[in-house]
Amino acid sequence: MSEHKQDKHQQRQQKIKQQVDQRIEAAQQEKGLVVVITGNGKGKTTSGFGTVARAVGHGQKCAVAQFIKGTWDNGEKNLLEKLGVSFHVMATGFTWETQDKKKDTQAAQQVWQECKKILQDESMDVVLLDEVTYMVTYGYIDLDELIQAIENRPKEQSVILTGRAAHRSLIELADTVSEVRNVKHAFEAGVKARKGIDW
């Protein structure tokens, strides 16, 4: 690289650094966050669990509620339970398999009652409500009740909500929203879900 190009590159990088430093300096508010991970792509649950793993790595106390995939063997659960993460699982699994709205509603409500306790627990740093958006869409959990529980949680507690088609009220409530877009998925080409990658 010529000396002139190197100087230009250094000037650009210095300008970027100054802008980043200013943004870091301006971000002084301390509070627990509400994070929504939604969209039609693969990776919403994986992202939520990645954040839980990160928090555990920092010595934080975490809990996970699983509202859809509860009957599957779960690599994240297998690992994180050993590290002290509490799990609350809707044991009916996929709602399209049970095809029993009453049973699914009862199962969802059982897990939700535990979640409400966790969302009041000041010792809990991070709470993952995995696939909770479906529970709202299907009417198994009341949207207003979910919002109220999140708004009334301890100030330092962070909550992660995952699932497709997050209600606009949850998006408005959130501090951070990520949308996972589906570009290509092996399952659509007839490839079986793979242990360690898909579950």
Side-chain angles (χ1 to χ4, degrees), residues 45 49 66 69 72-83 87 194-199:
T45 293
F49 273 122
Q66 288 189 285
K69 300 172 189 153
W72 279 25
D73 183 27
N74 182 308
E76 296 95 340
K77 183 174 187 259
N78 295 344
L79 173 68
L80 293 170
E81 271 188 327
K82 294 174 187 171
L83 299 173
F87 276 75
R194 188 155 180 85
K195 186 176 185 177
I197 298 294
D198 293 303
W199 51 277

Side-chain angles (χ1 to χ4, degrees), residues 14-120:
Q14 183 60 37
K15 189 174 183 178
I16 291 169
K17 181 184 179 334
Q18 287 172 347
Q19 291 170 348
V20 171
D21 288 346
Q22 287 171 356
R23 291 176 70 189
I24 291 170
E25 183 64 31
Q28 295 300 314
Q29 187 179 4
E30 293 266 355
K31 67 172 194 160
L33 300 177
V34 177
V35 177
V36 170
I37 307 166
T38 192
N40 294 331
K42 173 185 166 23
K44 297 177 291 294
T45 293
T46 303
S47 179
F49 273 122
T51 304
V52 169
R54 175 183 289 156
V56 169
H58 286 294
Q60 295 183 351
K61 188 174 175 184
C62 302
V64 174
Q66 288 189 285
F67 287 100
I68 295 283
K69 300 172 189 153
T71 57
W72 279 25
D73 183 27
N74 182 308
E76 296 95 340
K77 183 174 187 259
N78 295 344
L79 173 68
L80 293 170
E81 271 188 327
K82 294 174 187 171
L83 299 173
V85 176
S86 62
F87 276 75
H88 307 274
V89 177
M90 185 172 152
T92 56
F94 293 109
T95 56
W96 54 87
E97 288 179 356
T98 64
Q99 299 177 17
D100 184 337
K101 186 170 175 87
K102 184 177 179 184
K103 183 178 176 185
D104 288 336
T105 302
Q106 288 172 341
Q109 278 297 314
Q110 189 173 356
V111 173
W112 174 236
Q113 296 313 310
E114 289 300 315
C115 291
K116 288 197 292 188
K117 293 175 192 169
I118 293 165
L119 291 167
Q120 289 298 304

Side-chain angles (χ1 to χ4, degrees), residues 102-186:
K102 184 177 179 184
K103 183 178 176 185
D104 288 336
T105 302
Q106 288 172 341
Q109 278 297 314
Q110 189 173 356
V111 173
W112 174 236
Q113 296 313 310
E114 289 300 315
C115 291
K116 288 197 292 188
K117 293 175 192 169
I118 293 165
L119 291 167
Q120 289 298 304
D121 183 348
E122 293 194 10
S123 73
M124 196 62 64
D125 297 298
V126 178
V127 180
L128 171 59
L129 304 178
D130 185 41
E131 315 278 20
V132 74
T133 63
Y134 295 99
M135 301 301 98
V136 171
T137 300
Y138 299 157
Y140 300 165
I141 295 174
D142 180 72
L143 174 63
D144 292 335
E145 191 177 336
L146 173 61
I147 289 172
Q148 184 178 16
I150 293 170
E151 287 179 336
N152 293 331
R153 76 192 192 284
K155 183 178 182 285
E156 295 297 318
Q157 187 183 84
S158 292
V159 182
I160 306 160
L161 301 94
T162 70
R164 293 181 182 212
H167 192 280
R168 67 183 177 278
S169 297
L170 295 174
I171 290 172
E172 288 168 10
L173 173 68
D175 298 290
T176 299
V177 179
S178 293
E179 186 173 4
V180 181
R181 185 173 64 91
N182 192 36
V183 176
K184 187 177 183 181
H185 198 298

